Amino acid sequence: THTASIPNWVSGVTNSTIEPADTFDNIPPHPKLSTDSGRQGDIAIVYAVKRGSATSANLTLLYKWNGAWTESTIDSSVDTEVPSVAIDRQGALHIGYVDKDNAKLKYATNATGSWVISTLGEAGHNTADNQTGISVNLVTNAVHIITVIGSNSAVGVKHYTNETGTWLNTNITNSSNQEGHGVEVDIDPDGNLHVVFRREANSVGNPAYDHLILASRINGVWQNQTITECASIGWDNNPDMAIDSQGQIHVAYNGKLNQGKTLYHGVLTSVNPSSSLVSTQIDIIG
C-alpha cells in the first residue's frame, strides 16, 4: 500500500569513530547496547562497561551533538547491566537500567537540565535474560520502562510508568510460566503500548516450542497473546520490534529450521487475540 518512492540501497557509508569503552563484560547475556536518535540529529548510545581492573560496570553514555561525539559516565555507584535509552521530543534523555547487585530497576534522566537518578523497584535477579526496554510517548512525554523480574526459575515482566505524575508499576506476565525473556517495547500511533518477549519452552503448551508473546495495553487495559511458536527462539537470540505509521507491528526473531538458525520477519496487522503473526523467512544463519 506504499505510494512513496523508496530509493534503492547504495554501496558506501559514512563512519565516525571514537574510542569508547575499553572492556565489555563478555559473559551471557552478551553486552547490550541501546541507541536512539532525536529530532535535532542527536544520537544517544548507552551501555554498561568495566574500566580497567574494575569488578563492576558503570552506566556509560555516548552522545552525538552537532557532529561531535562525547562519552560520559552517568552512574558509577552500582554494578550496571542492560540499559535502554530514549530521547523525548524536547531532546531530553531517559535511561532505564538494572542495579545488578540489588536487583533493582533504576532510571536516569537529564530532563531538568542535570542528571537525576531514581530507584524505581524490583528487577531481575540472577537471570541470564535480564533486559530492559524504554519508550517515551511523543505527545504526553510519559516514560514507559519494561524490565524482566524474577530469577532463572521464574521470569516475568513488569511495566513502570510516570504517566500519572508518580511512578506506578504493573506485572504483565505470569512468572511461573517463564514469560519475559528478551523484552522489547514500542508505542503505536494511538498511544497504545506493546511489548514483545518469549516464553521459554517446557513451561506451558507444546513442550518443544518457545512461544513469542505480545502484551498490549489497549486503552489502559493489558492483554497478552501468543503470536507464534518456534522450535527454539533461544535465550541469546531475543526478538526485536518496531511499529510503522499504520500501526502494524513488525517483529524480527530467530528460530530453528532443520537444526539451523533462521531469521524471520513477522507482521501483525491487528492485536486482536485471535490474530497471528504472518512470518517470512529472511535468511538461514547456520
Side-chain angles (χ1 to χ4, degrees):
T1 59
H2 287 287
T3 58
S5 175
I6 301 175
N8 294 325
W9 287 97
V10 295
S11 177
V13 295
T14 301
N15 292 320
S16 58
T17 303
I18 68 169
E19 295 295 331
D22 56 357
T23 305
F24 287 97
D25 193 357
N26 195 31
I27 60 174
H30 301 301
K32 181 187 178 185
L33 300 168
S34 175
T35 184
D36 197 16
S37 57
R39 296 184 176 187
Q40 303 300 318
D42 45 329
I43 301 173
I45 305 171
V46 293
Y47 48 88
V49 62
K50 293 180 179 178
R51 298 292 185 187
S53 60
T55 57
S56 62
N58 296 339
L59 175 64
T60 306
L61 168 70
L62 275 174
Y63 186 64
K64 183 179 182 182
W65 175 256
N66 199 24
W69 285 98
T70 58
E71 184 183 32
S72 55
T73 298
I74 305 303
D75 190 352
S76 60
S77 66
V78 298
D79 192 5
T80 302
E81 63 179 356
V82 293
S84 296
V85 64
I87 303 176
D88 68 24
R89 65 178 188 266
Q90 276 88 34
L93 275 64
H94 305 266
I95 305 172
Y97 59 104
V98 173
D99 170 359
K100 185 177 179 180
D101 290 336
N102 298 299
K104 297 294 184 181
L105 177 67
K106 303 200 74 174
Y107 167 66
T109 182
N110 63 354
T112 62
S114 58
W115 285 101
V116 176
I117 297 175
S118 307
T119 299
L120 301 185
E122 70 171 324
H125 175 66
N126 191 32
T127 170
D129 272 319
N130 269 357
Q131 293 285 321
T132 62
I134 189 168
S135 190
V136 179
N137 190 299
L138 292 178
V139 177
T140 66
N141 251 17
V143 179
H144 299 273
I145 305 176
I146 303 296
T147 186
V148 172
I149 60 173
S151 62
N152 282 333
S153 59
V155 173
V157 175
K158 180 166 281 193
H159 167 228
Y160 291 83
T161 182
N162 64 353
E163 62 188 353
T164 65
T166 58
W167 284 98
L168 302 175
N169 62 79
T170 305
N171 290 331
I172 62 177
T173 67
N174 184 350
S175 60
S176 64
N177 287 341
Q178 287 283 58
E179 296 179 348
H181 300 274
V183 296
E184 293 291 339
V185 59
D186 205 351
I187 301 174
D188 69 22
D190 295 323
N192 297 311
L193 192 67
H194 304 276
V195 185
V196 68
F197 52 88
R198 61 182 180 83
R199 174 194 293 157
E200 190 174 82
N202 302 319
S203 58
V204 296
N206 190 329
Y209 287 77
D210 285 349
H211 291 198
L212 198 59
I213 309 292
L214 178 72
S216 299
R217 197 184 68 161
I218 310 298
N219 298 323
V221 179
W222 284 101
Q223 63 182 42
N224 295 9
Q225 61 179 307
T226 297
I227 53 177
T228 192
E229 297 179 14
C230 201
S232 178
I233 298 170
W235 66 266
D236 58 348
N237 297 303
N238 293 321
D240 201 1
M241 176 181 62
I243 301 176
D244 64 27
S245 60
Q246 306 303 310
Q248 296 185 121
I249 299 172
H250 299 259
V251 181
Y253 63 98
N254 283 342
K256 282 189 175 180
L257 178 66
N258 298 326
Q259 304 305 313
K261 290 183 179 179
T262 306
L263 181 63
Y264 292 94
H265 166 238
V267 180
L268 189 70
T269 58
S270 170
V271 294
N272 186 301
S274 63
S275 62
S276 60
L277 196 72
V278 178
S279 297
T280 302
Q281 179 180 319
I282 298 176
D283 190 26
I284 296 178
I285 301 171

PDB file of all heavy atoms in Angstrom, residues 246-272:
ATOM      1  N   GLN A 246       1.261   2.907  10.147  1.00  0.00           N
ATOM      2  CA  GLN A 246      -0.084   2.355  10.021  1.00  0.00           C
ATOM      3  C   GLN A 246      -0.496   1.548  11.247  1.00  0.00           C
ATOM      4  O   GLN A 246      -1.583   0.987  11.283  1.00  0.00           O
ATOM      5  CB  GLN A 246      -0.164   1.457   8.773  1.00  0.00           C
ATOM      6  CG  GLN A 246       0.268   2.138   7.489  1.00  0.00           C
ATOM      7  CD  GLN A 246      -0.531   3.388   7.197  1.00  0.00           C
ATOM      8  OE1 GLN A 246      -1.760   3.361   7.234  1.00  0.00           O
ATOM      9  NE2 GLN A 246       0.154   4.491   6.923  1.00  0.00           N
ATOM     10  N   GLY A 247       0.385   1.463  12.242  1.00  0.00           N
ATOM     11  CA  GLY A 247       0.083   0.710  13.444  1.00  0.00           C
ATOM     12  C   GLY A 247       0.370  -0.770  13.336  1.00  0.00           C
ATOM     13  O   GLY A 247       0.061  -1.527  14.259  1.00  0.00           O
ATOM     14  N   GLN A 248       0.963  -1.200  12.223  1.00  0.00           N
ATOM     15  CA  GLN A 248       1.321  -2.606  12.082  1.00  0.00           C
ATOM     16  C   GLN A 248       2.597  -2.892  12.870  1.00  0.00           C
ATOM     17  O   GLN A 248       3.541  -2.093  12.858  1.00  0.00           O
ATOM     18  CB  GLN A 248       1.528  -2.977  10.612  1.00  0.00           C
ATOM     19  CG  GLN A 248       0.280  -2.862   9.772  1.00  0.00           C
ATOM     20  CD  GLN A 248       0.510  -3.354   8.358  1.00  0.00           C
ATOM     21  OE1 GLN A 248      -0.159  -4.275   7.882  1.00  0.00           O
ATOM     22  NE2 GLN A 248       1.453  -2.757   7.665  1.00  0.00           N
ATOM     23  N   ILE A 249       2.599  -4.037  13.546  1.00  0.00           N
ATOM     24  CA  ILE A 249       3.718  -4.416  14.393  1.00  0.00           C
ATOM     25  C   ILE A 249       4.637  -5.357  13.623  1.00  0.00           C
ATOM     26  O   ILE A 249       4.188  -6.378  13.090  1.00  0.00           O
ATOM     27  CB  ILE A 249       3.208  -5.087  15.682  1.00  0.00           C
ATOM     28  CG1 ILE A 249       2.329  -4.104  16.469  1.00  0.00           C
ATOM     29  CG2 ILE A 249       4.381  -5.568  16.541  1.00  0.00           C
ATOM     30  CD1 ILE A 249       1.633  -4.729  17.649  1.00  0.00           C
ATOM     31  N   HIS A 250       5.914  -5.003  13.559  1.00  0.00           N
ATOM     32  CA  HIS A 250       6.913  -5.809  12.860  1.00  0.00           C
ATOM     33  C   HIS A 250       7.857  -6.413  13.893  1.00  0.00           C
ATOM     34  O   HIS A 250       8.389  -5.705  14.752  1.00  0.00           O
ATOM     35  CB  HIS A 250       7.701  -4.953  11.869  1.00  0.00           C
ATOM     36  CG  HIS A 250       6.862  -4.324  10.795  1.00  0.00           C
ATOM     37  ND1 HIS A 250       6.784  -4.832   9.527  1.00  0.00           N
ATOM     38  CD2 HIS A 250       6.036  -3.244  10.833  1.00  0.00           C
ATOM     39  CE1 HIS A 250       5.963  -4.081   8.803  1.00  0.00           C
ATOM     40  NE2 HIS A 250       5.502  -3.112   9.574  1.00  0.00           N
ATOM     41  N   VAL A 251       8.061  -7.719  13.805  1.00  0.00           N
ATOM     42  CA  VAL A 251       8.924  -8.428  14.741  1.00  0.00           C
ATOM     43  C   VAL A 251       9.962  -9.219  13.955  1.00  0.00           C
ATOM     44  O   VAL A 251       9.627  -9.934  13.004  1.00  0.00           O
ATOM     45  CB  VAL A 251       8.109  -9.385  15.638  1.00  0.00           C
ATOM     46  CG1 VAL A 251       9.029 -10.098  16.623  1.00  0.00           C
ATOM     47  CG2 VAL A 251       7.019  -8.629  16.392  1.00  0.00           C
ATOM     48  N   ALA A 252      11.218  -9.082  14.348  1.00  0.00           N
ATOM     49  CA  ALA A 252      12.290  -9.912  13.799  1.00  0.00           C
ATOM     50  C   ALA A 252      12.741 -10.874  14.891  1.00  0.00           C
ATOM     51  O   ALA A 252      12.953 -10.461  16.033  1.00  0.00           O
ATOM     52  CB  ALA A 252      13.463  -9.053  13.325  1.00  0.00           C
ATOM     53  N   TYR A 253      12.874 -12.150  14.540  1.00  0.00           N
ATOM     54  CA  TYR A 253      13.256 -13.143  15.542  1.00  0.00           C
ATOM     55  C   TYR A 253      13.957 -14.307  14.866  1.00  0.00           C
ATOM     56  O   TYR A 253      13.812 -14.546  13.667  1.00  0.00           O
ATOM     57  CB  TYR A 253      12.028 -13.631  16.317  1.00  0.00           C
ATOM     58  CG  TYR A 253      10.991 -14.355  15.481  1.00  0.00           C
ATOM     59  CD1 TYR A 253      10.938 -15.736  15.431  1.00  0.00           C
ATOM     60  CD2 TYR A 253      10.051 -13.639  14.738  1.00  0.00           C
ATOM     61  CE1 TYR A 253       9.990 -16.404  14.665  1.00  0.00           C
ATOM     62  CE2 TYR A 253       9.098 -14.283  13.972  1.00  0.00           C
ATOM     63  CZ  TYR A 253       9.069 -15.665  13.938  1.00  0.00           C
ATOM     64  OH  TYR A 253       8.127 -16.313  13.162  1.00  0.00           O
ATOM     65  N   ASN A 254      14.738 -15.035  15.674  1.00  0.00           N
ATOM     66  CA  ASN A 254      15.418 -16.235  15.209  1.00  0.00           C
ATOM     67  C   ASN A 254      14.630 -17.470  15.613  1.00  0.00           C
ATOM     68  O   ASN A 254      14.017 -17.510  16.682  1.00  0.00           O
ATOM     69  CB  ASN A 254      16.826 -16.348  15.802  1.00  0.00           C
ATOM     70  CG  ASN A 254      17.810 -15.430  15.117  1.00  0.00           C
ATOM     71  OD1 ASN A 254      17.570 -14.961  14.017  1.00  0.00           O
ATOM     72  ND2 ASN A 254      18.924 -15.162  15.776  1.00  0.00           N
ATOM     73  N   GLY A 255      14.660 -18.474  14.795  1.00  0.00           N
ATOM     74  CA  GLY A 255      14.069 -19.751  15.137  1.00  0.00           C
ATOM     75  C   GLY A 255      14.873 -20.855  14.484  1.00  0.00           C
ATOM     76  O   GLY A 255      15.745 -20.598  13.656  1.00  0.00           O
ATOM     77  N   LYS A 256      14.578 -22.091  14.865  1.00  0.00           N
ATOM     78  CA  LYS A 256      15.300 -23.222  14.291  1.00  0.00           C
ATOM     79  C   LYS A 256      14.500 -23.846  13.159  1.00  0.00           C
ATOM     80  O   LYS A 256      13.295 -24.033  13.252  1.00  0.00           O
ATOM     81  CB  LYS A 256      15.599 -24.273  15.357  1.00  0.00           C
ATOM     82  CG  LYS A 256      16.773 -23.895  16.252  1.00  0.00           C
ATOM     83  CD  LYS A 256      17.176 -25.049  17.139  1.00  0.00           C
ATOM     84  CE  LYS A 256      18.421 -24.711  17.958  1.00  0.00           C
ATOM     85  NZ  LYS A 256      18.818 -25.829  18.835  1.00  0.00           N
ATOM     86  N   LEU A 257      15.195 -24.154  12.087  1.00  0.00           N
ATOM     87  CA  LEU A 257      14.611 -24.836  10.933  1.00  0.00           C
ATOM     88  C   LEU A 257      15.602 -25.891  10.468  1.00  0.00           C
ATOM     89  O   LEU A 257      16.702 -25.563  10.042  1.00  0.00           O
ATOM     90  CB  LEU A 257      14.320 -23.855   9.799  1.00  0.00           C
ATOM     91  CG  LEU A 257      13.760 -24.453   8.510  1.00  0.00           C
ATOM     92  CD1 LEU A 257      12.377 -25.034   8.759  1.00  0.00           C
ATOM     93  CD2 LEU A 257      13.714 -23.418   7.417  1.00  0.00           C
ATOM     94  N   ASN A 258      15.218 -27.161  10.614  1.00  0.00           N
ATOM     95  CA  ASN A 258      16.115 -28.266  10.226  1.00  0.00           C
ATOM     96  C   ASN A 258      17.479 -28.123  10.899  1.00  0.00           C
ATOM     97  O   ASN A 258      18.525 -28.272  10.274  1.00  0.00           O
ATOM     98  CB  ASN A 258      16.280 -28.318   8.708  1.00  0.00           C
ATOM     99  CG  ASN A 258      14.972 -28.575   8.000  1.00  0.00           C
ATOM    100  OD1 ASN A 258      14.113 -29.301   8.511  1.00  0.00           O
ATOM    101  ND2 ASN A 258      14.793 -27.972   6.833  1.00  0.00           N
ATOM    102  N   GLN A 259      17.430 -27.799  12.207  1.00  0.00           N
ATOM    103  CA  GLN A 259      18.615 -27.683  13.057  1.00  0.00           C
ATOM    104  C   GLN A 259      19.465 -26.448  12.771  1.00  0.00           C
ATOM    105  O   GLN A 259      20.505 -26.256  13.395  1.00  0.00           O
ATOM    106  CB  GLN A 259      19.494 -28.942  12.950  1.00  0.00           C
ATOM    107  CG  GLN A 259      18.763 -30.218  13.284  1.00  0.00           C
ATOM    108  CD  GLN A 259      18.104 -30.171  14.657  1.00  0.00           C
ATOM    109  OE1 GLN A 259      18.735 -29.767  15.627  1.00  0.00           O
ATOM    110  NE2 GLN A 259      16.850 -30.589  14.746  1.00  0.00           N
ATOM    111  N   GLY A 260      19.061 -25.612  11.815  1.00  0.00           N
ATOM    112  CA  GLY A 260      19.786 -24.373  11.567  1.00  0.00           C
ATOM    113  C   GLY A 260      19.009 -23.189  12.093  1.00  0.00           C
ATOM    114  O   GLY A 260      17.786 -23.244  12.201  1.00  0.00           O
ATOM    115  N   LYS A 261      19.698 -22.098  12.428  1.00  0.00           N
ATOM    116  CA  LYS A 261      19.012 -20.901  12.890  1.00  0.00           C
ATOM    117  C   LYS A 261      18.511 -20.100  11.693  1.00  0.00           C
ATOM    118  O   LYS A 261      19.239 -19.871  10.733  1.00  0.00           O
ATOM    119  CB  LYS A 261      19.957 -20.057  13.738  1.00  0.00           C
ATOM    120  CG  LYS A 261      20.292 -20.681  15.080  1.00  0.00           C
ATOM    121  CD  LYS A 261      21.160 -19.774  15.913  1.00  0.00           C
ATOM    122  CE  LYS A 261      21.467 -20.396  17.268  1.00  0.00           C
ATOM    123  NZ  LYS A 261      22.330 -19.531  18.093  1.00  0.00           N
ATOM    124  N   THR A 262      17.260 -19.675  11.772  1.00  0.00           N
ATOM    125  CA  THR A 262      16.629 -18.979  10.672  1.00  0.00           C
ATOM    126  C   THR A 262      16.104 -17.643  11.155  1.00  0.00           C
ATOM    127  O   THR A 262      15.482 -17.550  12.208  1.00  0.00           O
ATOM    128  CB  THR A 262      15.461 -19.808  10.106  1.00  0.00           C
ATOM    129  OG1 THR A 262      15.938 -21.113   9.772  1.00  0.00           O
ATOM    130  CG2 THR A 262      14.883 -19.162   8.864  1.00  0.00           C
ATOM    131  N   LEU A 263      16.362 -16.590  10.379  1.00  0.00           N
ATOM    132  CA  LEU A 263      15.887 -15.265  10.708  1.00  0.00           C
ATOM    133  C   LEU A 263      14.527 -15.038  10.050  1.00  0.00           C
ATOM    134  O   LEU A 263      14.353 -15.285   8.855  1.00  0.00           O
ATOM    135  CB  LEU A 263      16.883 -14.204  10.228  1.00  0.00           C
ATOM    136  CG  LEU A 263      16.529 -12.745  10.535  1.00  0.00           C
ATOM    137  CD1 LEU A 263      16.481 -12.504  12.038  1.00  0.00           C
ATOM    138  CD2 LEU A 263      17.548 -11.810   9.877  1.00  0.00           C
ATOM    139  N   TYR A 264      13.548 -14.589  10.849  1.00  0.00           N
ATOM    140  CA  TYR A 264      12.203 -14.352  10.357  1.00  0.00           C
ATOM    141  C   TYR A 264      11.826 -12.887  10.548  1.00  0.00           C
ATOM    142  O   TYR A 264      12.250 -12.227  11.498  1.00  0.00           O
ATOM    143  CB  TYR A 264      11.181 -15.205  11.123  1.00  0.00           C
ATOM    144  CG  TYR A 264      11.290 -16.686  10.880  1.00  0.00           C
ATOM    145  CD1 TYR A 264      12.049 -17.484  11.734  1.00  0.00           C
ATOM    146  CD2 TYR A 264      10.626 -17.294   9.822  1.00  0.00           C
ATOM    147  CE1 TYR A 264      12.140 -18.855  11.533  1.00  0.00           C
ATOM    148  CE2 TYR A 264      10.713 -18.660   9.605  1.00  0.00           C
ATOM    149  CZ  TYR A 264      11.467 -19.433  10.478  1.00  0.00           C
ATOM    150  OH  TYR A 264      11.558 -20.790  10.260  1.00  0.00           O
ATOM    151  N   HIS A 265      10.975 -12.413   9.641  1.00  0.00           N
ATOM    152  CA  HIS A 265      10.322 -11.116   9.792  1.00  0.00           C
ATOM    153  C   HIS A 265       8.830 -11.374   9.834  1.00  0.00           C
ATOM    154  O   HIS A 265       8.262 -11.978   8.916  1.00  0.00           O
ATOM    155  CB  HIS A 265      10.655 -10.184   8.624  1.00  0.00           C
ATOM    156  CG  HIS A 265       9.771  -8.976   8.546  1.00  0.00           C
ATOM    157  ND1 HIS A 265       9.014  -8.675   7.432  1.00  0.00           N
ATOM    158  CD2 HIS A 265       9.511  -7.995   9.454  1.00  0.00           C
ATOM    159  CE1 HIS A 265       8.332  -7.560   7.649  1.00  0.00           C
ATOM    160  NE2 HIS A 265       8.614  -7.128   8.866  1.00  0.00           N
ATOM    161  N   GLY A 266       8.192 -10.945  10.917  1.00  0.00           N
ATOM    162  CA  GLY A 266       6.759 -11.164  11.073  1.00  0.00           C
ATOM    163  C   GLY A 266       6.009  -9.860  11.165  1.00  0.00           C
ATOM    164  O   GLY A 266       6.508  -8.864  11.705  1.00  0.00           O
ATOM    165  N   VAL A 267       4.777  -9.834  10.616  1.00  0.00           N
ATOM    166  CA  VAL A 267       3.930  -8.651  10.659  1.00  0.00           C
ATOM    167  C   VAL A 267       2.616  -9.023  11.319  1.00  0.00           C
ATOM    168  O   VAL A 267       1.976 -10.009  10.940  1.00  0.00           O
ATOM    169  CB  VAL A 267       3.667  -8.082   9.251  1.00  0.00           C
ATOM    170  CG1 VAL A 267       2.785  -6.839   9.333  1.00  0.00           C
ATOM    171  CG2 VAL A 267       4.977  -7.759   8.554  1.00  0.00           C
ATOM    172  N   LEU A 268       2.213  -8.230  12.309  1.00  0.00           N
ATOM    173  CA  LEU A 268       0.933  -8.406  12.983  1.00  0.00           C
ATOM    174  C   LEU A 268       0.088  -7.179  12.665  1.00  0.00           C
ATOM    175  O   LEU A 268       0.413  -6.065  13.057  1.00  0.00           O
ATOM    176  CB  LEU A 268       1.128  -8.550  14.496  1.00  0.00           C
ATOM    177  CG  LEU A 268      -0.098  -8.955  15.307  1.00  0.00           C
ATOM    178  CD1 LEU A 268      -0.469 -10.412  15.021  1.00  0.00           C
ATOM    179  CD2 LEU A 268       0.166  -8.775  16.792  1.00  0.00           C
ATOM    180  N   THR A 269      -1.004  -7.382  11.928  1.00  0.00           N
ATOM    181  CA  THR A 269      -1.823  -6.255  11.485  1.00  0.00           C
ATOM    182  C   THR A 269      -2.892  -5.886  12.493  1.00  0.00           C
ATOM    183  O   THR A 269      -3.505  -4.826  12.402  1.00  0.00           O
ATOM    184  CB  THR A 269      -2.496  -6.578  10.146  1.00  0.00           C
ATOM    185  OG1 THR A 269      -3.297  -7.753  10.292  1.00  0.00           O
ATOM    186  CG2 THR A 269      -1.453  -6.812   9.058  1.00  0.00           C
ATOM    187  N   SER A 270      -3.144  -6.737  13.480  1.00  0.00           N
ATOM    188  CA  SER A 270      -4.164  -6.481  14.486  1.00  0.00           C
ATOM    189  C   SER A 270      -3.729  -7.101  15.803  1.00  0.00           C
ATOM    190  O   SER A 270      -3.094  -8.158  15.815  1.00  0.00           O
ATOM    191  CB  SER A 270      -5.509  -7.073  14.056  1.00  0.00           C
ATOM    192  OG  SER A 270      -6.452  -7.028  15.113  1.00  0.00           O
ATOM    193  N   VAL A 271      -4.066  -6.455  16.914  1.00  0.00           N
ATOM    194  CA  VAL A 271      -3.745  -7.011  18.221  1.00  0.00           C
ATOM    195  C   VAL A 271      -4.924  -7.786  18.784  1.00  0.00           C
ATOM    196  O   VAL A 271      -4.958  -8.116  19.959  1.00  0.00           O
ATOM    197  CB  VAL A 271      -3.308  -5.911  19.218  1.00  0.00           C
ATOM    198  CG1 VAL A 271      -2.000  -5.303  18.781  1.00  0.00           C
ATOM    199  CG2 VAL A 271      -4.381  -4.847  19.382  1.00  0.00           C
ATOM    200  N   ASN A 272      -5.905  -8.092  17.949  1.00  0.00           N
ATOM    201  CA  ASN A 272      -6.988  -8.984  18.359  1.00  0.00           C
ATOM    202  C   ASN A 272      -6.387 -10.311  18.784  1.00  0.00           C
ATOM    203  O   ASN A 272      -5.543 -10.866  18.072  1.00  0.00           O
ATOM    204  CB  ASN A 272      -7.962  -9.174  17.207  1.00  0.00           C
ATOM    205  CG  ASN A 272      -9.192  -9.959  17.602  1.00  0.00           C
ATOM    206  OD1 ASN A 272      -9.081 -11.090  18.051  1.00  0.00           O
ATOM    207  ND2 ASN A 272     -10.348  -9.354  17.440  1.00  0.00           N
TER     208      ASN A 272
END
